[in-house]
Amino acid sequence: MKKPTTTLLLIFFGLATAFSLQAQQLDDASLHWEQKSLQLGSVMEEYGTVTASFFVANEGAGPIIINEVETDCGCTSVDFVTDTLDVNQVGKIEVSYQPTSFGGAFHKEIIVRNNRNSAGDTLSLEGFNIPFPENASNYYQFKVGDLGFRFSSVNMGEVFTNSPKVKYVDFYNFKDLPITLDGGGFSLPEHINIALIPAIVPAKSRGLLAISYDGLAKDDFGFFDEEISFNIEALNPESVNLRLLTTIHEYFAPVPVSQINEVPRLGVAQVEVDFGSIPADKEVLKTITLSNSSKQEVNIRKIVSNCDCMSFSVPKYTLSPGESMDLSLTFDPSGRLGIDHKMVTIFSNDPLNPTRTIVLKSKIKP
């Protein structure tokens, strides 16, 4: 007769445990972080420790006590003023990163445990560490006046239209004088901004150029090779010219699986064309079918080629649902010999494949 009682007790204990775990999960979620990941950008060894602040709020029903903070590296340390957060109180955890002599990208994790979440929340610091070079003249060998850069151009990489991209470029001031930006000597286009870090770079020392590129303000797509000019001040204003390489893409928010069949879809019948062996004195042509297999209108934003030797034409830039058309491609191999690869890129409002590239191969003979 005791078995039913035992069974009921086990069921009650299981339900209580499940409720306790569920309540614990709800309690865990009550600690709300403004951001769990912060970007430090490029940091230079000689400027010492860099500090970042993580802000957190208690959105639960009772006080939360931060009882342990762990870091995964001796190069990071943590400080926080308040270890007990009352309901709706905002706290701050400061994490300091000491740049090391090892260059390259870094990712540091910090685990914050509290009385309601023993597993803890994971925070992260990311950036790019730039150690001090043994020989500045050899390291910064590309000179623009008395400023030395590592490379002859600045590669901004891929820029999307949803937010500006910032690139930190380190340089060396070979002057015998400190430099700063000349606020009145800027002739930058609307989509580019520049800041100097620190605001005054001492003589015979390094600094950072923070170059911000706004893809939306550029209002175009594809690859761009631009030269920008700005002024610095030492004794007199001095012009600095830099070459920027950028590829701009339109940003589309992630598409839920349930809406995949509801968004514009551009079909490209062939994305690789092999012309085979062709003579250098004769143009070759190729026609590729573009189609709209969706219920929405497809808009082709732009078509570009990586060579003036490639030309293209389409009858229009909008495809209705179920419609198709021909993209005509013409390759002029004049002045070229040997194995050759060219690309034609199509930018469209297809959020799943907004950039489609067609590769055209050939072997050009005399």
Short mmCIF file of all heavy atoms in Angstrom, two decimals, residues 265-316:
data_model
loop_
_atom_site.label_atom_id
_atom_site.label_comp_id
_atom_site.label_asym_id
_atom_site.label_seq_id
_atom_site.Cartn_x
_atom_site.Cartn_y
_atom_site.Cartn_z
N ARG A 265 13.66 36.53 -56.01
CA ARG A 265 14.71 35.55 -56.28
C ARG A 265 15.18 35.70 -57.73
O ARG A 265 14.39 35.55 -58.67
CB ARG A 265 14.21 34.11 -56.06
CG ARG A 265 13.72 33.81 -54.65
CD ARG A 265 14.84 33.86 -53.63
NE ARG A 265 15.87 32.90 -53.91
CZ ARG A 265 15.85 31.63 -53.48
NH1 ARG A 265 14.82 31.19 -52.77
NH2 ARG A 265 16.83 30.81 -53.76
N LEU A 266 16.47 36.00 -57.90
CA LEU A 266 17.04 36.13 -59.24
C LEU A 266 17.71 34.82 -59.64
O LEU A 266 18.60 34.33 -58.93
CB LEU A 266 18.06 37.26 -59.27
CG LEU A 266 18.85 37.42 -60.58
CD1 LEU A 266 17.92 37.81 -61.73
CD2 LEU A 266 19.98 38.43 -60.42
N GLY A 267 17.30 34.28 -60.78
CA GLY A 267 17.92 33.08 -61.30
C GLY A 267 18.95 33.42 -62.36
O GLY A 267 18.69 34.25 -63.24
N VAL A 268 20.13 32.80 -62.29
CA VAL A 268 21.18 32.98 -63.28
C VAL A 268 21.47 31.60 -63.86
O VAL A 268 21.94 30.71 -63.15
CB VAL A 268 22.46 33.58 -62.66
CG1 VAL A 268 23.53 33.78 -63.71
CG2 VAL A 268 22.14 34.92 -61.99
N ALA A 269 21.21 31.44 -65.13
CA ALA A 269 21.28 30.11 -65.74
C ALA A 269 22.68 29.52 -65.72
O ALA A 269 22.84 28.30 -65.64
CB ALA A 269 20.75 30.17 -67.18
N GLN A 270 23.71 30.35 -65.76
CA GLN A 270 25.08 29.85 -65.83
C GLN A 270 26.00 30.84 -65.13
O GLN A 270 26.01 32.03 -65.42
CB GLN A 270 25.51 29.70 -67.29
CG GLN A 270 26.76 28.88 -67.52
CD GLN A 270 27.03 28.64 -69.00
OE1 GLN A 270 26.22 29.01 -69.86
NE2 GLN A 270 28.16 28.03 -69.32
N VAL A 271 26.78 30.34 -64.16
CA VAL A 271 27.68 31.23 -63.42
C VAL A 271 29.15 30.98 -63.76
O VAL A 271 30.03 31.64 -63.23
CB VAL A 271 27.47 31.09 -61.89
CG1 VAL A 271 26.09 31.57 -61.49
CG2 VAL A 271 27.70 29.65 -61.44
N GLU A 272 29.40 30.02 -64.66
CA GLU A 272 30.77 29.77 -65.11
C GLU A 272 30.75 29.47 -66.61
O GLU A 272 30.04 28.57 -67.05
CB GLU A 272 31.41 28.63 -64.34
CG GLU A 272 32.87 28.42 -64.68
CD GLU A 272 33.56 27.40 -63.78
OE1 GLU A 272 33.49 27.56 -62.54
OE2 GLU A 272 34.13 26.44 -64.31
N VAL A 273 31.52 30.26 -67.36
CA VAL A 273 31.56 30.11 -68.81
C VAL A 273 33.00 29.82 -69.22
O VAL A 273 33.92 30.52 -68.81
CB VAL A 273 31.08 31.40 -69.51
CG1 VAL A 273 31.24 31.27 -71.03
CG2 VAL A 273 29.63 31.70 -69.14
N ASP A 274 33.19 28.76 -69.99
CA ASP A 274 34.52 28.42 -70.49
C ASP A 274 34.52 28.60 -72.01
O ASP A 274 33.94 27.81 -72.75
CB ASP A 274 34.89 26.98 -70.11
CG ASP A 274 36.35 26.67 -70.40
OD1 ASP A 274 37.01 27.48 -71.09
OD2 ASP A 274 36.84 25.63 -69.92
N PHE A 275 35.19 29.66 -72.49
CA PHE A 275 35.26 29.91 -73.93
C PHE A 275 36.24 28.96 -74.62
O PHE A 275 36.27 28.89 -75.85
CB PHE A 275 35.71 31.35 -74.19
CG PHE A 275 34.65 32.38 -73.89
CD1 PHE A 275 34.90 33.42 -73.01
CD2 PHE A 275 33.41 32.31 -74.50
CE1 PHE A 275 33.94 34.38 -72.75
CE2 PHE A 275 32.43 33.26 -74.24
CZ PHE A 275 32.71 34.30 -73.36
N GLY A 276 37.06 28.29 -73.83
CA GLY A 276 38.06 27.40 -74.41
C GLY A 276 39.19 28.20 -75.06
O GLY A 276 39.53 29.30 -74.62
N SER A 277 39.76 27.65 -76.12
CA SER A 277 40.87 28.31 -76.82
C SER A 277 40.29 29.30 -77.84
O SER A 277 39.50 28.93 -78.70
CB SER A 277 41.73 27.27 -77.52
OG SER A 277 42.82 27.87 -78.18
N ILE A 278 40.69 30.59 -77.72
CA ILE A 278 40.16 31.62 -78.61
C ILE A 278 41.30 32.46 -79.18
O ILE A 278 42.34 32.62 -78.54
CB ILE A 278 39.15 32.54 -77.89
CG1 ILE A 278 39.84 33.24 -76.70
CG2 ILE A 278 37.95 31.75 -77.41
CD1 ILE A 278 38.96 34.25 -76.02
N PRO A 279 41.14 33.00 -80.41
CA PRO A 279 42.18 33.86 -80.99
C PRO A 279 42.15 35.25 -80.35
O PRO A 279 41.09 35.75 -79.95
CB PRO A 279 41.81 33.91 -82.46
CG PRO A 279 40.34 33.66 -82.49
CD PRO A 279 40.04 32.73 -81.35
N ALA A 280 43.32 35.90 -80.30
CA ALA A 280 43.42 37.21 -79.66
C ALA A 280 42.79 38.33 -80.49
O ALA A 280 42.57 39.42 -79.96
CB ALA A 280 44.88 37.53 -79.38
N ASP A 281 42.50 38.06 -81.75
CA ASP A 281 42.00 39.12 -82.62
C ASP A 281 40.50 39.01 -82.91
O ASP A 281 39.99 39.62 -83.85
CB ASP A 281 42.77 39.13 -83.94
CG ASP A 281 42.65 37.80 -84.70
OD1 ASP A 281 42.10 36.84 -84.12
OD2 ASP A 281 43.10 37.74 -85.86
N LYS A 282 39.78 38.23 -82.09
CA LYS A 282 38.37 38.05 -82.37
C LYS A 282 37.55 38.08 -81.08
O LYS A 282 37.85 37.37 -80.12
CB LYS A 282 38.15 36.71 -83.08
CG LYS A 282 36.71 36.49 -83.53
CD LYS A 282 36.58 35.17 -84.28
CE LYS A 282 35.14 34.96 -84.74
NZ LYS A 282 34.98 33.68 -85.48
N GLU A 283 36.51 38.91 -81.06
CA GLU A 283 35.64 38.99 -79.90
C GLU A 283 34.80 37.71 -79.78
O GLU A 283 34.47 37.07 -80.78
CB GLU A 283 34.70 40.20 -80.01
CG GLU A 283 35.38 41.54 -79.90
CD GLU A 283 34.39 42.67 -79.92
OE1 GLU A 283 33.21 42.43 -80.24
OE2 GLU A 283 34.78 43.82 -79.61
N VAL A 284 34.46 37.35 -78.55
CA VAL A 284 33.58 36.20 -78.30
C VAL A 284 32.35 36.69 -77.54
O VAL A 284 32.43 37.62 -76.73
CB VAL A 284 34.29 35.08 -77.53
CG1 VAL A 284 35.30 34.38 -78.40
CG2 VAL A 284 34.95 35.61 -76.27
N LEU A 285 31.21 36.06 -77.82
CA LEU A 285 29.95 36.47 -77.20
C LEU A 285 29.32 35.31 -76.46
O LEU A 285 29.50 34.14 -76.82
CB LEU A 285 28.96 36.98 -78.26
CG LEU A 285 29.30 38.29 -78.97
CD1 LEU A 285 30.24 38.02 -80.14
CD2 LEU A 285 28.03 38.98 -79.46
N LYS A 286 28.57 35.65 -75.42
CA LYS A 286 27.85 34.65 -74.66
C LYS A 286 26.54 35.26 -74.16
O LYS A 286 26.51 36.42 -73.71
CB LYS A 286 28.69 34.19 -73.46
CG LYS A 286 28.00 33.18 -72.56
CD LYS A 286 27.78 31.84 -73.26
CE LYS A 286 27.11 30.83 -72.34
NZ LYS A 286 26.88 29.53 -73.02
N THR A 287 25.47 34.48 -74.25
CA THR A 287 24.16 34.91 -73.75
C THR A 287 23.76 34.04 -72.57
O THR A 287 23.80 32.80 -72.68
CB THR A 287 23.09 34.82 -74.85
OG1 THR A 287 23.46 35.69 -75.93
CG2 THR A 287 21.74 35.25 -74.31
N ILE A 288 23.40 34.66 -71.47
CA ILE A 288 22.99 33.94 -70.26
C ILE A 288 21.60 34.39 -69.86
O ILE A 288 21.31 35.60 -69.83
CB ILE A 288 24.00 34.19 -69.12
CG1 ILE A 288 25.36 33.59 -69.48
CG2 ILE A 288 23.49 33.60 -67.80
CD1 ILE A 288 26.44 33.84 -68.47
N THR A 289 20.74 33.44 -69.56
CA THR A 289 19.36 33.76 -69.19
C THR A 289 19.25 34.15 -67.72
O THR A 289 19.74 33.42 -66.84
CB THR A 289 18.43 32.57 -69.48
OG1 THR A 289 18.50 32.24 -70.87
CG2 THR A 289 16.99 32.89 -69.10
N LEU A 290 18.61 35.29 -67.47
CA LEU A 290 18.28 35.72 -66.12
C LEU A 290 16.78 35.56 -65.94
O LEU A 290 16.00 35.89 -66.84
CB LEU A 290 18.68 37.18 -65.90
CG LEU A 290 20.13 37.57 -66.19
CD1 LEU A 290 20.34 39.05 -65.91
CD2 LEU A 290 21.09 36.72 -65.38
N SER A 291 16.36 35.06 -64.78
CA SER A 291 14.94 34.79 -64.58
C SER A 291 14.49 35.19 -63.18
O SER A 291 15.30 35.32 -62.26
CB SER A 291 14.65 33.30 -64.81
OG SER A 291 15.39 32.51 -63.89
N ASN A 292 13.19 35.37 -63.04
CA ASN A 292 12.58 35.67 -61.75
C ASN A 292 11.64 34.53 -61.41
O ASN A 292 10.58 34.38 -62.01
CB ASN A 292 11.81 37.00 -61.83
CG ASN A 292 11.10 37.32 -60.52
OD1 ASN A 292 11.22 36.60 -59.54
ND2 ASN A 292 10.36 38.42 -60.51
N SER A 293 12.05 33.71 -60.45
CA SER A 293 11.27 32.53 -60.08
C SER A 293 10.39 32.78 -58.85
O SER A 293 9.83 31.85 -58.29
CB SER A 293 12.21 31.36 -59.80
OG SER A 293 13.12 31.70 -58.75
N SER A 294 10.30 34.05 -58.43
CA SER A 294 9.58 34.36 -57.20
C SER A 294 8.25 35.05 -57.48
O SER A 294 7.88 35.31 -58.64
CB SER A 294 10.44 35.26 -56.31
OG SER A 294 10.60 36.54 -56.92
N LYS A 295 7.55 35.39 -56.39
CA LYS A 295 6.28 36.09 -56.50
C LYS A 295 6.46 37.61 -56.46
O LYS A 295 5.49 38.35 -56.63
CB LYS A 295 5.34 35.67 -55.35
CG LYS A 295 5.10 34.18 -55.27
CD LYS A 295 4.29 33.84 -54.03
CE LYS A 295 4.11 32.33 -53.88
NZ LYS A 295 3.38 31.99 -52.62
N GLN A 296 7.68 38.05 -56.21
CA GLN A 296 7.97 39.48 -56.10
C GLN A 296 8.78 39.97 -57.30
O GLN A 296 9.45 39.19 -57.97
CB GLN A 296 8.75 39.76 -54.81
CG GLN A 296 8.07 39.29 -53.54
CD GLN A 296 6.79 40.04 -53.26
OE1 GLN A 296 6.69 41.23 -53.56
NE2 GLN A 296 5.80 39.35 -52.72
N GLU A 297 8.74 41.25 -57.55
CA GLU A 297 9.51 41.84 -58.62
C GLU A 297 10.99 41.82 -58.29
O GLU A 297 11.39 42.13 -57.17
CB GLU A 297 9.05 43.29 -58.84
CG GLU A 297 9.65 43.97 -60.04
CD GLU A 297 9.08 45.35 -60.26
OE1 GLU A 297 9.54 46.30 -59.59
OE2 GLU A 297 8.16 45.49 -61.11
N VAL A 298 11.82 41.44 -59.26
CA VAL A 298 13.28 41.44 -59.09
C VAL A 298 13.83 42.71 -59.75
O VAL A 298 13.53 42.99 -60.91
CB VAL A 298 13.92 40.19 -59.73
CG1 VAL A 298 15.44 40.38 -59.83
CG2 VAL A 298 13.61 38.96 -58.90
N ASN A 299 14.61 43.44 -58.97
CA ASN A 299 15.24 44.65 -59.49
C ASN A 299 16.74 44.46 -59.54
O ASN A 299 17.36 44.16 -58.51
CB ASN A 299 14.89 45.85 -58.62
CG ASN A 299 15.58 47.12 -59.08
OD1 ASN A 299 16.51 47.59 -58.46
ND2 ASN A 299 15.13 47.65 -60.20
N ILE A 300 17.32 44.58 -60.73
CA ILE A 300 18.78 44.51 -60.87
C ILE A 300 19.34 45.90 -60.61
O ILE A 300 19.07 46.84 -61.36
CB ILE A 300 19.18 44.01 -62.27
CG1 ILE A 300 18.68 42.57 -62.45
CG2 ILE A 300 20.69 44.08 -62.46
CD1 ILE A 300 18.91 42.02 -63.84
N ARG A 301 20.08 46.03 -59.50
CA ARG A 301 20.61 47.34 -59.11
C ARG A 301 21.73 47.79 -60.04
O ARG A 301 21.78 48.95 -60.43
CB ARG A 301 21.15 47.27 -57.69
CG ARG A 301 20.25 46.61 -56.65
CD ARG A 301 19.03 47.42 -56.36
NE ARG A 301 18.48 47.10 -55.05
CZ ARG A 301 17.22 47.21 -54.71
NH1 ARG A 301 16.34 47.63 -55.61
NH2 ARG A 301 16.81 46.92 -53.49
N LYS A 302 22.62 46.85 -60.37
CA LYS A 302 23.80 47.24 -61.14
C LYS A 302 24.47 45.98 -61.69
O LYS A 302 24.41 44.91 -61.08
CB LYS A 302 24.78 48.00 -60.24
CG LYS A 302 25.97 48.62 -60.95
CD LYS A 302 26.84 49.39 -59.96
CE LYS A 302 28.01 50.06 -60.65
NZ LYS A 302 28.89 50.79 -59.71
N ILE A 303 25.12 46.13 -62.85
CA ILE A 303 25.95 45.06 -63.42
C ILE A 303 27.33 45.67 -63.69
O ILE A 303 27.43 46.73 -64.30
CB ILE A 303 25.36 44.50 -64.72
CG1 ILE A 303 23.94 43.97 -64.48
CG2 ILE A 303 26.25 43.38 -65.27
CD1 ILE A 303 23.24 43.51 -65.75
N VAL A 304 28.37 45.01 -63.20
CA VAL A 304 29.72 45.54 -63.38
C VAL A 304 30.66 44.42 -63.83
O VAL A 304 30.39 43.24 -63.60
CB VAL A 304 30.28 46.18 -62.09
CG1 VAL A 304 29.46 47.38 -61.68
CG2 VAL A 304 30.34 45.15 -60.96
N SER A 305 31.76 44.83 -64.46
CA SER A 305 32.80 43.89 -64.87
C SER A 305 34.13 44.34 -64.27
O SER A 305 34.31 45.52 -63.96
CB SER A 305 32.91 43.84 -66.39
OG SER A 305 34.06 43.11 -66.78
N ASN A 306 35.04 43.39 -64.11
CA ASN A 306 36.35 43.74 -63.56
C ASN A 306 37.35 44.12 -64.64
O ASN A 306 38.55 44.22 -64.39
CB ASN A 306 36.90 42.59 -62.72
CG ASN A 306 37.21 41.35 -63.55
OD1 ASN A 306 36.69 41.18 -64.65
ND2 ASN A 306 38.06 40.48 -63.01
N CYS A 307 36.87 44.34 -65.88
CA CYS A 307 37.77 44.67 -66.98
C CYS A 307 37.02 45.44 -68.06
O CYS A 307 35.87 45.10 -68.39
CB CYS A 307 38.38 43.39 -67.57
SG CYS A 307 39.47 43.66 -68.97
N ASP A 308 37.68 46.45 -68.63
CA ASP A 308 37.08 47.19 -69.73
C ASP A 308 36.91 46.33 -70.98
O ASP A 308 36.18 46.70 -71.90
CB ASP A 308 37.94 48.41 -70.07
CG ASP A 308 37.93 49.46 -68.97
OD1 ASP A 308 36.96 49.46 -68.18
OD2 ASP A 308 38.88 50.26 -68.90
N CYS A 309 37.61 45.19 -70.99
CA CYS A 309 37.52 44.29 -72.14
C CYS A 309 36.20 43.51 -72.16
O CYS A 309 35.90 42.82 -73.12
CB CYS A 309 38.69 43.32 -72.13
SG CYS A 309 38.79 42.31 -70.63
N MET A 310 35.42 43.60 -71.06
CA MET A 310 34.13 42.93 -70.98
C MET A 310 33.03 43.98 -71.13
O MET A 310 33.02 44.98 -70.42
CB MET A 310 33.95 42.23 -69.63
CG MET A 310 34.76 40.96 -69.46
SD MET A 310 34.23 39.61 -70.56
CE MET A 310 32.47 39.62 -70.30
N SER A 311 32.11 43.74 -72.03
CA SER A 311 30.93 44.60 -72.15
C SER A 311 29.68 43.73 -72.01
O SER A 311 29.72 42.51 -72.22
CB SER A 311 30.92 45.34 -73.49
OG SER A 311 30.92 44.43 -74.57
N PHE A 312 28.57 44.36 -71.64
CA PHE A 312 27.34 43.59 -71.39
C PHE A 312 26.14 44.46 -71.74
O PHE A 312 26.22 45.69 -71.83
CB PHE A 312 27.26 43.16 -69.93
CG PHE A 312 27.41 44.30 -68.96
CD1 PHE A 312 26.32 45.07 -68.59
CD2 PHE A 312 28.64 44.60 -68.42
CE1 PHE A 312 26.45 46.13 -67.72
CE2 PHE A 312 28.79 45.65 -67.54
CZ PHE A 312 27.69 46.43 -67.19
N SER A 313 25.00 43.80 -71.92
CA SER A 313 23.76 44.53 -72.15
C SER A 313 22.57 43.67 -71.72
O SER A 313 22.61 42.44 -71.83
CB SER A 313 23.61 44.90 -73.63
OG SER A 313 23.50 43.74 -74.43
N VAL A 314 21.55 44.34 -71.19
CA VAL A 314 20.28 43.69 -70.85
C VAL A 314 19.17 44.59 -71.37
O VAL A 314 19.31 45.81 -71.42
CB VAL A 314 20.12 43.47 -69.33
CG1 VAL A 314 21.00 42.36 -68.83
CG2 VAL A 314 20.39 44.77 -68.56
N PRO A 315 18.04 44.02 -71.77
CA PRO A 315 16.95 44.86 -72.29
C PRO A 315 16.32 45.76 -71.24
O PRO A 315 15.77 46.81 -71.56
CB PRO A 315 15.94 43.84 -72.83
CG PRO A 315 16.26 42.55 -72.13
CD PRO A 315 17.73 42.58 -71.85
N LYS A 316 16.38 45.35 -69.95
CA LYS A 316 15.81 46.16 -68.87
C LYS A 316 16.40 45.68 -67.55
O LYS A 316 17.14 44.69 -67.49
CB LYS A 316 14.29 46.04 -68.85
CG LYS A 316 13.77 44.61 -68.76
CD LYS A 316 12.25 44.60 -68.84
CE LYS A 316 11.71 43.18 -68.78
NZ LYS A 316 10.22 43.16 -68.80
#
